[in-house]
């Protein structure tokens, strides 16, 4: 069982809807990440939070809005998405962003998003 | 910039065959190297890692050695099982301490009984 829990597992939304993806970890990790993965492609980094502060935004469109309410939770708020945003959205966590050799990423199983 | 190149798949093997998936990288500094595995319908799981030259990572019968002179981190397993069928990603984490992973394109492995 994964130690990073993502909900929902599947989400279908229209282009005018507002929805949120949720991620939770209880490993005491202080870094959390959102990745987007299209079919048969590697994950693409979207956002990194370090100690609950946004440290990296990979030029993601503003229709994706991340939020880190506390060190265990990470949300991704979605609004006015496009069909091409349909993908698997993966959350990950690590002890810290630094000392990466000692702090590999732990991934959740993802939310499969379909935008109609 | 930093990059990772993996052999293209899919790789199809019979059960108990020997597996090699090639991975080479380009990086400045001293990256850490990882292999992640993604089973159908799941997220990525860390398979093994190596943090410096000549380190060998190993887990579940899989091995990979960090070769600085050839900038490679090839994944090997002596005898694959049907349950090893998955997508394998080679990745590097650079020395900038941003937490950012750079992934290869992934290699699909199919093992037939």
């Amino acid at each position: 069982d994964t130690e990073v829990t993502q909900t929902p597992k599947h989400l279908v939304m229209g282009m005018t809807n507002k929805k949120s993806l949720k991620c939770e970890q209880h490993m005491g990790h202080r870094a959390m990440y959102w990745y987007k993965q299209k079919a048969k492609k590697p994950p693409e980094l979207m956002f990194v939070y370090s100690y609950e502060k946004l440290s990296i935004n990979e030029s993601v469109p503003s229709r994706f809005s991340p939020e880190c309410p506390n060190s265990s939770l990470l949300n991704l708020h979605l609004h006015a998405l496009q069909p091409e945003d349909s993908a698997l959205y993966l959350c990950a966590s690590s002890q810290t962003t630094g000392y990466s050799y000692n702090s590999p990423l732990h991934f959740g199983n993802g939310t499969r998003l379909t935008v109609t | 910039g930093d990059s990772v190149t993996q052999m293209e798949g899919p790789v199809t093997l019979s059960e108990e065959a020997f597996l090699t998936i090639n991975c080479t990288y380009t990086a400045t500094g001293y990256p850490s190297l990882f292999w992640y595995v993604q089973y159908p319908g799941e997220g990525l799981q860390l398979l093994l890692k190596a943090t410096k030259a000549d380190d060998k990572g190993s887990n579940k019968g899989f091995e990979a050695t960090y070769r600085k002179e050839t900038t490679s981190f090839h994944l090997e397993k002596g005898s694959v099982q049907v349950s090893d069928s998955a997508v394998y990603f080679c990745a590097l984490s650079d020395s900038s301490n941003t937490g950012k992973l750079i992934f290869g394109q992934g290699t699909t492995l199919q093992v037939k009984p």
Side-chain angles (χ1 to χ4, degrees):
Chain A
D1 287 340
T2 182
E3 296 168 316
V4 177
T5 304
Q6 290 188 245
T7 55
K9 286 185 168 49
H10 301 275
L11 179 62
V12 179
M13 62 185 288
M15 290 189 284
T16 58
N17 290 158
K18 285 185 183 180
K19 297 286 186 184
S20 296
L21 309 185
K22 296 186 184 301
C23 175
E24 191 167 4
Q25 58 87 13
H26 293 290
M27 295 177 281
H29 289 174
R30 301 313 299 269
M32 296 187 79
Y33 309 75
W34 281 115
Y35 280 83
K36 174 183 177 180
Q37 187 179 26
K38 300 284 263 185
K40 300 187 186 300
K41 295 291 187 184
E44 299 172 16
L45 182 65
M46 300 174 73
F47 303 104
V48 180
Y49 273 83
S50 179
Y51 290 87
E52 297 148 57
K53 291 191 187 328
L54 184 66
S55 59
I56 294 181
N57 176 342
E58 291 284 280
S59 303
V60 178
S62 60
R63 58 185 184 269
F64 295 91
S65 175
E67 178 195 21
C68 189
N70 60 55
S71 59
S72 300
L73 293 174
L74 186 66
N75 298 322
L76 186 63
H77 302 299
L78 314 173
H79 173 53
L81 294 193
Q82 304 297 310
E84 59 264 30
D85 296 321
S86 299
L88 181 67
Y89 288 83
L90 294 164
C91 174
S93 69
S94 65
Q95 286 181 332
T96 62
T97 56
Y99 301 106
S100 56
Y101 57 88
N102 204 27
S103 188
L105 267 60
H106 296 250
F107 284 86
N109 282 334
T111 293
R112 177 77 58 192
L113 174 67
T114 303
V115 181
T116 60
Chain B
D2 296 354
S3 66
V4 175
T5 302
Q6 283 182 242
M7 61 187 289
E8 290 196 17
V11 174
T12 303
L13 296 173
S14 296
E15 210 165 19
E16 298 184 5
F18 185 85
L19 168 70
T20 300
I21 299 178
N22 290 338
C23 170
T24 57
Y25 68 90
T26 303
T28 54
Y30 303 96
S32 296
L33 301 173
F34 306 88
W35 277 101
Y36 281 86
V37 58
Q38 186 172 30
Y39 297 101
E42 297 185 11
L44 279 70
Q45 299 176 26
L46 178 66
L47 184 59
L48 52 85
K49 66 178 183 181
T51 61
K52 60 184 188 299
D54 300 325
D55 265 3
K56 178 186 278 189
S58 62
N59 185 27
K60 299 181 183 179
F62 291 89
E63 291 183 343
T65 301
Y66 189 142
R67 301 278 188 209
K68 196 167 188 299
E69 63 276 12
T70 55
T71 62
S72 65
F73 192 54
H74 304 321
L75 183 68
E76 296 182 337
K77 186 176 186 184
S79 176
V80 294
Q81 306 299 311
V82 171
S83 56
D84 293 326
S85 298
V87 181
Y88 292 80
F89 291 97
C90 185
L92 72 81
S93 180
D94 66 21
S95 54
S96 66
N97 289 339
T98 61
K100 187 173 179 177
L101 278 182
I102 295 168
F103 287 94
Q105 288 301 302
T107 302
T108 300
L109 170 65
Q110 292 179 318
V111 180
K112 298 190 173 180

